[in-house]
Amino acid sequence: MVTGARKRRDRRKFNRDLKIKAANGKSMNALKVFAEALRFLKDDALQTIDNITVVGEKFVPSDFTWVLSVPAIWDPSAKQFMREAATQAGIVTDMNQNGLVFTLHSEAALSYCMTLPADGFITRGLDKMDKSPGTQYAVVVAEDENIDINVHEVLEGGGLKELHRASYNDLGGQSVDRKFKEFMREIFSNGFWDEYENNYPSEVQRMLKDFSCLRKTDEDIEICCPFKLEKVAQKRQDIEEYFKRVQGASWDYGLIRISKQKLRSFFAQSLLGITHNLREINKYFNIGCILLVGSYAESKILRRHITDEFIDDCKVLCPFRSREAILKGAVTLGINPSIKLPKSAFTYGIGVSDRFDKLKHREDRKFTNKEGEWTGGLFIKLVEVDEEVSWNKTIEFIFYPIEADQTIMNFYFYRTQKKSPKYVTGEGVEEICCLFLNSPKTEGGRSREVKMTITFGCMEIRTTVKDLISESSTKFDFVWK
């Protein structure tokens, strides 16, 4: 439905064996890297809390609910990967998975901004955010790497319903940084900049970091020229000569001056792409307000452009300290997750077997055991794609073994973009997890009841399967949103 500058479609699966490569070319297990990063954050948070509480009172991870905010583009496998990393980091345990919840960046930011007074936003002279049922917000999560645009609607009672989500790369703050670096390459031409970058990569990174802070303004800027860049450049020619070939930049005793007009030009591609995608989304929804959040939203040039482009159509708001809106909103949702109404990104179901009926079932799905003829791989739907599911909704199923002496039962879970597939082998249906249940007491034969309880939580499905005779059970959580 939405077009624009390279809508992101990276759906690479995350798993325990995934490797990531460092800048020095060495690879390491990604799960280990993420687990240790989360462990550091956990330990630091607990230490900070201990430092401000009563002497002698120690807190442990299970004393808290931990919230991980994630971008809209993340595949469910990535979220499941993060849950495993959090478990290895000691944030939660296998027995206490409810202590970790996920939320989207846009949901978190909007939830926080809904609590702010009118003077909590950079734009002055406007009322505080409209909480009237039916009001639609386009939340632009503007970060350095990519731009997420999600549409949410306010419900009766103040809850939120997601209507649309999209993510675009090459439009965030890093695209502005890249344009700046291209300009440096234009100034220090004939391969000199590339040579400098290869020899002194840390200096280039420091220079880009300084620029990323300066691009928040809408004025002429001055960037300190690294000593090695100036020294090496001077060996070729007087450094002022480099700036005679370009427009919008000048040299001033160790400082590179960039004009406001040139700075704005670095934003052109990013602003064009964001505006285009917002206009496309606005065709399908009745947007009452555009909310800008994230680190890139701190840019005056970005805020002014979006305001000028859409002021005749809707409000444009940005909270003070916009990069903290997601963090503070995640806390809000961790305390009260029921304020949002999740919407399933897929149709989820389980595969089951049933007595074969030639009038209803395909012949190629038939198999035979000592109990008779069966059809396998029937898709039993749990939730449908785009279905709104209330917080902590629970459904139950009763299953029976297909053989009287069966001691192990397996339950395979699937997902698809189709609304009502009949078989798990259909096109576009993929397996996402499997549960195995031990059922050692076979005295009841095929009359043994196995109860499956499925609870829809904050972006996750919690599944428990219990043998009512043997009293054995197993459980599994997987991300569904």
Side-chain angles (χ1 to χ4, degrees), residues 281-297:
I281 291 172
N282 203 33
K283 292 178 182 178
Y284 300 92
F285 301 98
N286 183 27
I287 305 298
C289 179
I290 295 173
L291 180 65
L292 300 173
V293 296
S295 58
Y296 185 30

Side-chain angles (χ1 to χ4, degrees), residues 334-380:
I335 296 172
N336 184 19
S338 61
I339 65 175
K340 62 178 182 175
L341 187 59
K343 186 178 181 183
S344 180
F346 296 90
T347 295
Y348 289 90
I350 54 176
V352 301
S353 298
D354 198 3
R355 288 292 188 181
F356 178 74
D357 184 338
K358 63 180 180 180
L359 298 179
K360 297 190 301 182
H361 303 140
R362 286 172 20 193
E363 188 72 26
D364 64 325
R365 299 302 304 165
K366 183 173 70 173
F367 69 93
T368 303
N369 64 15
K370 53 192 173 185
E371 305 292 344
E373 293 183 335
W374 299 82
T375 186
L378 292 170
F379 189 101
I380 300 298

Side-chain angles (χ1 to χ4, degrees), residues 161-266:
K161 177 174 69 173
E162 185 187 40
L163 303 179
H164 174 80
R165 71 171 72 170
S167 186
Y168 309 90
N169 58 359
D170 292 338
L171 295 181
Q174 288 180 359
S175 68
V176 182
D177 296 346
R178 284 193 293 272
K179 292 297 182 182
F180 164 73
K181 193 160 73 168
E182 289 174 10
F183 186 53
M184 290 297 100
R185 185 176 289 110
E186 182 182 348
I187 295 173
F188 301 100
S189 56
N190 298 323
F192 173 70
W193 175 265
D194 293 330
E195 179 184 339
Y196 168 72
E197 185 173 17
N198 288 332
N199 292 332
Y200 306 103
S202 61
E203 284 200 359
V204 174
Q205 289 301 314
R206 190 159 51 246
M207 196 175 184
L208 288 174
K209 184 177 180 181
D210 292 341
F211 172 76
S212 67
C213 294
L214 293 169
R215 62 171 158 83
K216 298 175 185 178
T217 187
D218 189 17
E219 303 292 341
D220 296 348
I221 62 173
E222 295 178 344
I223 297 177
C224 290
C225 181
F227 174 74
K228 289 186 176 65
L229 175 59
E230 181 179 357
K231 182 178 179 180
V232 177
Q234 289 278 24
K235 291 181 179 180
R236 293 195 175 189
Q237 62 181 1
D238 191 80
I239 199 161
E240 284 88 350
E241 295 297 317
Y242 290 94
F243 292 84
K244 291 180 178 180
R245 298 188 294 266
V246 298
Q247 296 281 332
S250 60
W251 176 259
D252 185 12
Y253 299 102
L255 297 176
I256 299 174
R257 293 183 180 273
I258 298 178
S259 69
K260 176 171 62 177
Q261 289 72 26
K262 176 56 70 172
L263 176 62
R264 288 177 176 178
S265 73
F266 300 154

Side-chain angles (χ1 to χ4, degrees), residues 94-105:
D94 291 332
M95 302 301 293
N96 181 36
Q97 289 290 313
N98 293 341
L100 175 67
V101 296
F102 290 88
T103 184
L104 293 177
H105 288 339

Side-chain angles (χ1 to χ4, degrees), residues 7-19:
K7 186 174 180 180
R8 183 184 295 236
R9 298 186 181 277
D10 183 6
R11 294 295 184 186
R12 182 176 58 166
K13 299 299 180 186
F14 282 69
N15 56 59
R16 290 172 175 265
D17 299 323
L18 180 68
K19 301 287 186 180

